[in-house]
Amino acid sequence: MSKKWFYEKHSPSTVYGYEVSPVYEEKTKFQHLQIADNEHFGRMLILDEVVQTTEKEEFIYHEMMSHLPIMALNRPVQSILIIGGGDGGILKQCLKHESLKRITMVDIDQRVIEISKEMLFFSDAFDDPRFELIVGDGAAYVAGEIAQSRKFDVIIVDSPDPIGPAKILFEMPFYQDIRKCLNDDGVMVRQAGVPVFQAPELKEAVERVARCFPKVEVYRGVVPVYGGDMAFVIASADGHSCKTPRTKFTGNYYNKPFHQAAFSLPTWWYDLTGLTMDE
């Protein structure tokens, strides 16, 4: 199979390049989807020219988006809602928690789900009896009566960057509806980009989530393919801090000491977000 170079723009003057062997490509109803192989990162999912996940390091992002909020809940998790996440990576990590009774995933692009099940590395997760798949608009789902009446312990917003169909998942009405869908002691989390490239995204996410939740915090994880030190915004419905894990859980990246350490931020992140540094 012939190889070519794929370039992802991280800023107007910065690109990351990958030598890839193309595997599959199509224009879905919502976005440009590509599957490719890279000698270092393995298989890659690329949407609208942005790398979404890679075989070699997917566990970093997916573990920090799942185990940390689950462990930040003050009791064993029973119900989870994933907004986005069509590749199945978050789903697979969440299912490792035996207390979980039901998990719902809402993704707008059925083709991403189908191609991911066929060509990526999480296909077995989609067959778990606790799993419910809804193909549709995540923002519309959390705004609806069904989601707000069901309630969830943890809501994970696993969306791409705020472009195209994902833009609505960064706006105020969406966060207000998320709050309505959480149990009284529930936790929500969303990715907020790599601040060295996307500082406004983190600042805006903290400001908007803080208008809807009594306690908002930021933690970090290093995801090389996304550009380095990545920010995650986490909030609790009852105002409890998410910095201390309820009990021990160990993944390939996540562990109890790292949970606590992930909330130690660079000084300029505190300046950017207005959050208070622990002395």
Side-chain angles (χ1 to χ4, degrees):
M1 183 179 294
S2 62
K3 295 183 178 181
K4 68 176 185 178
W5 279 88
F6 164 76
Y7 296 98
E8 176 182 348
K9 182 174 285 189
H10 282 260
S11 79
S13 59
T14 309
V15 297
Y16 281 19
Y18 308 89
E19 187 180 37
V20 299
S21 298
V23 175
Y24 182 81
E25 182 175 7
E26 76 167 88
K27 182 70 171 67
T28 76
K29 182 179 177 181
F30 299 98
Q31 52 206 332
H32 181 210
L33 182 157
Q34 298 174 77
I35 302 290
D37 289 333
N38 172 266
E39 187 173 333
H40 180 77
F41 287 108
R43 181 142 295 185
M44 310 170 76
L45 169 65
I46 305 166
L47 297 178
D48 286 339
E49 308 301 316
V50 176
V51 176
Q52 302 298 313
T53 192
T54 72
E55 186 174 5
K56 183 172 184 177
E57 64 166 37
E58 57 79 19
F59 67 94
I60 301 175
Y61 174 79
H62 292 139
E63 287 190 13
M64 292 302 283
M65 278 283 280
S66 56
H67 303 316
L68 194 144
I70 290 172
M71 289 294 103
L73 193 69
N74 286 328
R75 55 181 173 78
V77 68
Q78 296 188 45
S79 57
I80 297 174
L81 171 64
I82 305 170
I83 303 295
D87 57 52
I90 294 288
L91 171 64
K92 187 165 186 175
Q93 295 297 334
C94 290
L95 290 169
K96 295 179 179 180
H97 294 266
E98 295 182 356
S99 63
L100 183 64
K101 294 182 178 179
R102 62 180 172 91
I103 180 166
T104 301
M105 183 172 78
V106 184
D107 194 287
I108 199 169
D109 198 332
Q110 185 166 354
R111 288 300 292 157
V112 170
I113 298 165
E114 292 171 347
I115 296 301
S116 296
K117 288 172 66 175
E118 180 182 346
M119 299 185 180
L120 296 184
F121 6 90
F122 317 112
S123 59
D124 56 332
F126 291 88
D127 298 324
D128 193 285
R130 295 171 289 177
F131 172 56
E132 173 191 28
L133 172 64
I134 297 175
V135 177
D137 185 327
Y141 179 75
V142 296
E145 185 177 339
I146 293 176
Q148 294 184 12
S149 63
R150 294 181 75 183
K151 303 290 187 183
F152 297 89
D153 293 333
V154 174
I155 298 180
I156 300 170
V157 184
D158 181 24
S159 71
D161 293 328
I163 55 176
K167 188 174 181 180
I168 194 173
L169 304 182
F170 289 78
E171 297 176 352
M172 274 294 298
F174 176 69
Y175 296 126
Q176 293 168 340
D177 290 331
I178 288 284
R179 175 72 186 274
K180 295 174 185 176
C181 295
L182 277 173
N183 283 316
D184 291 341
D185 59 349
V187 172
M188 74 138 292
V189 67
R190 72 152 310 116
Q191 65 88 2
V194 175
V196 73
F197 292 119
Q198 300 158 303
E201 185 174 316
L202 172 58
K203 178 179 173 62
E204 184 177 82
V206 170
E207 290 174 347
R208 291 181 176 181
V209 174
R211 295 179 201 170
C212 305
F213 287 84
K215 185 69 173 179
V216 178
E217 294 164 309
V218 173
Y219 64 93
R220 58 200 280 230
V222 178
V223 189
V225 78
Y226 294 163
D229 220 357
M230 187 167 197
F232 303 86
V233 177
I234 191 167
S236 62
D238 63 358
H240 78 266
S241 174
C242 294
K243 293 182 179 180
T244 302
R246 176 177 51 81
T247 187
K248 180 180 178 181
F249 185 93
T250 302
N252 287 330
Y253 190 81
Y254 174 90
N255 56 56
K256 185 176 180 179
F258 192 78
H259 179 127
Q260 297 167 306
F263 286 88
S264 295
L265 306 179
T267 303
W268 72 274
W269 286 27
Y270 291 110
D271 294 339
L272 175 71
T273 60
L275 296 174
T276 303
M277 187 187 308
D278 291 336
E279 300 294 343

